[in-house]
Amino acid sequence: MKTILLTGAGGAGTIEIIKSLKGKFRTIAVDMNKNSAGLYLADKGFIVPACLNSDYAEVLKKIVLEENVSVIIPLIDEEILPLFEIFKGEWPKILCPNIEAIKLCRDKHVLSKKLSELGLGTPKSYSIAEFKNESFYPCIIKLREGRGSKGFAILNNESEFKNYIDTTQYQEEELMIQEKLVGTEYTVSLVINRGNKALCVVPKEIILKEGITKIGVTRNNKKVIDACLAIASKIAFNGPANVQLFFDGETVKTFEINPRFSTTVALTIAAGVNEVEILVKDILGEKYEVPDFKENLVMLRHISQIYFDEEKRL
C-alpha cells in the first residue's frame, strides 16, 4: 500500500481527503499544531515546523524517508513552492500543478491580467497605483497573495478607500483592486492529470462563505463548465486546480484560481468524484476511472469531534 503525505492536517478539506483515502492508501498527516484533528485521523501524524522555519526542510525530508512516502499533497499555499525546492527530482511525487502555473495563480493581479490577455472572462483588476488614477465604486480590495479572505473588503466610495489604506497593516504593493462582481459565486474542482488533460469539471454553487465555503451545492452548469475547460486549454496546469468565479446568467468571470485542492474537495468527493484518489493514481501510473458527479448535492459544513486516549497525543 503506497504512502501519501498530506500537509495542513487541521484543514477542513484535509480531514475529508484522509477519510476518502482510508483503506486505499496509507496516510501520513503533518501540521505545526498538535491539536490538528487530521494528525489523529491519518494512519500516522507528525508535528512539523512552519514552512518558513529553517528546520522545516530537514524535518520533512526525515519523515518522507523513514515513512517511504510516495506522494505529497500540499494543501497550504505557502508550502507549495518550497516543496519543489526541498524535493528536487522524481521522488516523492508532489501532487500539484507545475511551477509556472503555481506562480501565475499565486499573484491574483497577475493572474487576472493573464486571463484577460487570453480572452478569458475575468473582472477588471488594478494595482493600488493604477486604481488611484482610475477610481470606480463599488469595488473590492484584497491581497494579491493570500487565502481565507485575508485583507478582503468591499469599498463603496473614496472615503472608504482612503480609510482602508490609512489603517491597513498591509503595504500598497501587497494589495489589489477588482471590480465588484454580481451574480452567483462558484468554486469549481478542475481535475487535470499530469498530461494536462481535463478529466472532469465539478461546479459548486456557494450558498454561504465565511473564509471557506460553509454551504455549497453541485451544479451541472454548462457555461461554467465550458469556461473552466477554456481555462484548462489555455493554461497548462498538469495537476489539480480550484477555479473561483461568478456567473451572472450569461457570462462567467474568474477572479481566482487556487493551484491545489480546495476545502470544497469534500463536496466533490461526496458527489462521486474523488479527485484526490484519481490524481494520486494518475501520478503513480495506476489505472483509474472518472465517474459523472451527482448534481444538486448540498453540503452543510459543521463542527465535529474526534476522540482518542491522551497517551496518543503528539
Side-chain angles (χ1 to χ4, degrees):
M1 187 177 289
K2 298 288 178 62
T3 297
I4 311 299
L5 184 148
L6 302 100
T7 69
T14 316
I15 301 296
E16 294 304 316
I17 291 173
I18 291 171
K19 290 179 179 178
S20 77
L21 297 180
K22 283 282 189 179
K24 303 166 187 173
F25 300 95
R26 178 172 175 263
T27 55
I28 302 288
V30 301
D31 201 283
M32 60 185 289
N33 183 353
K34 70 177 182 179
N35 294 319
S36 296
L39 296 174
Y40 307 97
L41 286 172
D43 294 300
K44 204 166 185 180
F46 293 90
I47 299 170
V48 297
C51 65
L52 298 179
N53 187 293
S54 59
D55 296 328
Y56 178 76
E58 289 306 312
V59 171
L60 204 60
K61 283 181 181 178
K62 186 172 184 290
I63 294 170
V64 167
L65 181 63
E66 292 182 352
E67 300 298 329
N68 193 27
V69 172
S70 296
V71 180
I72 297 177
I73 303 177
L75 296 165
I76 305 296
D77 288 343
E78 294 84 354
E79 294 175 331
I80 299 176
L81 287 176
L83 284 172
F84 278 98
E85 292 298 318
I86 295 169
F87 299 102
K88 297 179 174 69
E90 291 298 311
W91 182 88
K93 306 285 188 180
I94 301 175
L95 184 48
C96 61
N98 61 68
I99 293 178
E100 290 74 20
I102 293 167
K103 290 180 178 179
L104 173 64
C105 294
R106 283 293 303 274
D107 190 322
K108 300 176 182 67
H109 181 55
V110 172
L111 173 65
S112 187
K113 297 291 189 184
K114 182 66 174 180
L115 291 173
S116 180
E117 290 173 7
L118 294 172
L120 300 168
T122 188
K124 295 177 182 178
S125 179
Y126 300 85
S127 67
I128 299 302
E130 291 170 335
F131 181 72
K132 287 179 177 178
N133 294 322
E134 196 176 334
S135 300
F136 61 92
Y137 300 96
C139 62
I140 64 167
I141 190 167
K142 62 183 181 181
L143 289 173
R144 292 175 62 150
E145 296 187 21
R147 55 189 170 89
S149 300
K150 290 182 180 178
F152 177 89
I154 297 174
L155 306 176
N156 294 296
N157 51 55
E158 187 174 358
S159 176
E160 290 182 3
F161 170 69
K162 288 182 177 179
N163 181 65
Y164 182 102
I165 295 299
D166 290 341
T167 59
T168 184
Q169 62 180 308
Y170 303 111
Q171 299 297 313
E172 289 191 6
E173 294 75 18
E174 299 178 272
L175 298 164
M176 64 179 292
I177 298 285
Q178 279 187 335
E179 65 174 305
K180 186 177 181 297
L181 298 175
V182 296
T184 302
E185 186 175 357
Y186 280 80
T187 178
V188 184
S189 289
L190 186 49
V191 189
I192 305 174
N193 68 12
R194 302 302 287 179
N196 203 45
K197 179 182 178 181
L199 305 175
C200 186
V201 180
V202 184
K204 293 154 286 186
E205 178 185 343
I206 296 176
I207 307 299
L208 176 63
K209 186 175 184 178
E210 295 174 346
I212 63 173
T213 300
K214 294 295 183 70
I215 305 176
V217 188
T218 55
R219 299 295 191 202
N220 191 5
N221 186 316
K222 187 178 187 304
K223 287 191 176 182
V224 169
I225 291 172
D226 287 347
C228 290
L229 288 174
I231 291 172
S233 72
K234 295 189 177 183
I235 299 176
F237 285 96
N238 307 99
N242 166 238
V243 182
Q244 297 184 313
L245 57 86
F246 272 87
F247 175 60
D248 65 5
E250 291 294 331
T251 60
V252 174
K253 290 189 177 182
T254 297
F255 61 92
E256 290 183 18
I257 302 177
N258 295 310
R260 54 171 170 77
F261 298 108
S262 78
T263 62
T264 55
V265 64
L267 179 52
T268 303
I269 292 171
V273 179
N274 191 333
E275 56 179 319
V276 183
E277 180 183 352
I278 289 168
L279 294 185
V280 166
K281 287 183 176 180
D282 174 72
I283 203 172
L284 291 174
E286 299 178 4
K287 292 183 179 179
Y288 57 85
E289 294 182 357
V290 184
D292 294 330
F293 70 91
K294 181 179 180 179
E295 59 182 299
N296 303 324
L297 181 66
V298 179
M299 176 191 75
L300 302 179
R301 201 182 294 277
H302 65 97
I303 297 174
S304 186
Q305 297 73 228
I306 64 168
Y307 306 93
F308 55 89
D309 291 333
E310 189 175 23
E311 63 183 23
K312 296 181 180 179
R313 194 176 189 194
L314 299 175

